[in-house]
Amino acid sequence: MKAFLLAAGIGTRLRPLTDQMPKCLIPIGDKPLLEIWFEQLEKLGITEVRVNTHHLAEQVAAFVSARAPSSLRISLFHEPVLLGSAGTIRANRDWLRNEPDFLIIYADNLADVNLADFVHFHRTRQAEFTMALFRAANPRECGIVVRDETGRVVEFQEKPAHPKSPWANAGLYMAGPTLFDAIPDRLGLCDFGFDVLPRLMGRMYAFPLAGFYCDIGTVERLEYARRLWRK
């Protein structure tokens, strides 16, 4: 199985830290976020990983060359102009073409979870698309999911004023080839939350993660994540 790590974000809300360092290389303890994800994928048995780059791309390339685990074959996909989360996956369709399923991970989130459980859930349901969930402290700031008793997603709201659930999109997906039919074929940014997930309504499942998960979007969230990670 292959995994795609989305790591090209500029990290605007983490400035000035991200003026000198790409968000995916921000250290948590003694390891950058990207290294933590490499270790998680290595435990799962993943052998091929692709990482997209944009902001301070040369730093990401240098890190991958120096610190990537030898068991992972890592390739980089540079975006001179950002394509958006779904646009990036669409642009790498040939790399994923022969995969019955693959992982898509937002590399700027911090997690210590059992990815094997997530993969098992997806495969036992023979799902087209599965989204991992975390319990959000502030649901109005997240993409919120409502599920039925089987785990199928029946409603998805991006940053709703009145959330119907505490369960939020964790930026961790598992998909198969039919995903490409749901990605709009157009120029410009293409985002999973706004452009793709609504098209998959009724056809995708959601899986609540067990373990530690933290969205690192602001300086305050970063400091919160670092404190909890030390514990």
Side-chain angles (χ1 to χ4, degrees), residues 3 11 17 34 40 58 68 89 92 132 144 169-170 178 205 214 221:
L17 181 61
L34 200 57
Q40 295 246 13
E58 68 284 353
I89 300 303
N92 286 272
I144 295 300
N169 178 4
T178 58
Y205 285 82
C214 188
R221 295 294 297 170

Side-chain angles (χ1 to χ4, degrees), residues 49-63:
V49 179
R50 181 158 287 185
V51 181
N52 70 329
T53 64
H54 173 71
H55 177 57
L56 301 174
E58 68 284 353
Q59 291 189 32
V60 180
F63 173 80

Side-chain angles (χ1 to χ4, degrees), residues 18-38:
T18 48
D19 288 337
Q20 304 297 325
M21 177 185 298
K23 189 177 178 182
C24 66
L25 294 186
I26 288 175
I28 304 294
D30 61 348
K31 295 178 183 178
L33 280 165
L34 200 57
E35 185 170 359
I36 293 170
W37 277 116
F38 285 163

Side-chain angles (χ1 to χ4, degrees), residues 90-111:
R90 180 183 59 204
N92 286 272
R93 184 171 188 162
D94 285 346
W95 185 68
L96 296 165
R97 184 177 300 278
N98 296 320
E99 298 299 303
D101 49 37
F102 48 87
L103 284 166
I104 303 166
I105 299 169
Y106 289 60
D108 53 5
N109 294 325
L110 177 64

Side-chain angles (χ1 to χ4, degrees), residues 45-196:
I46 296 290
T47 56
E48 288 193 66
V49 179
R50 181 158 287 185
V51 181
N52 70 329
T53 64
H54 173 71
H55 177 57
L56 301 174
E58 68 284 353
Q59 291 189 32
V60 180
F63 173 80
V64 168
S65 177
R67 299 271 296 272
S70 59
S71 63
L72 296 180
R73 295 195 300 274
I74 299 174
S75 57
L76 300 178
F77 176 75
H78 183 62
E79 298 179 25
V81 178
L82 286 172
L83 302 175
S85 54
T88 295
I89 300 303
R90 180 183 59 204
N92 286 272
R93 184 171 188 162
D94 285 346
W95 185 68
L96 296 165
R97 184 177 300 278
N98 296 320
E99 298 299 303
D101 49 37
F102 48 87
L103 284 166
I104 303 166
I105 299 169
Y106 289 60
D108 53 5
N109 294 325
L110 177 64
D112 182 14
V113 296
N114 189 332
L115 292 175
D117 288 345
F118 178 61
V119 172
H120 178 73
F121 176 90
H122 173 84
R123 288 177 171 169
T124 54
R125 281 157 180 75
Q126 299 181 324
E128 291 185 57
F129 187 92
T130 303
M131 175 198 311
L133 305 178
F134 73 102
R135 186 179 286 274
N138 299 300
R140 284 183 291 182
E141 299 176 1
C142 307
I144 295 300
V145 170
V146 179
R147 300 169 293 151
D148 66 14
E149 64 279 0
T150 70
R152 191 186 300 270
V153 177
V154 295
E155 192 169 347
F156 178 79
Q157 302 170 298
E158 189 65 47
K159 297 179 174 63
H162 305 287
K164 296 181 180 180
S165 158
W167 292 104
N169 178 4
L172 170 57
Y173 309 132
M174 194 164 176
T178 58
L179 170 63
F180 295 101
D181 298 331
I183 301 177
D185 186 15
R186 57 174 170 74
L187 297 175
L189 289 170
C190 188
D191 176 76
F192 269 106
F194 290 103
D195 301 311
V196 177

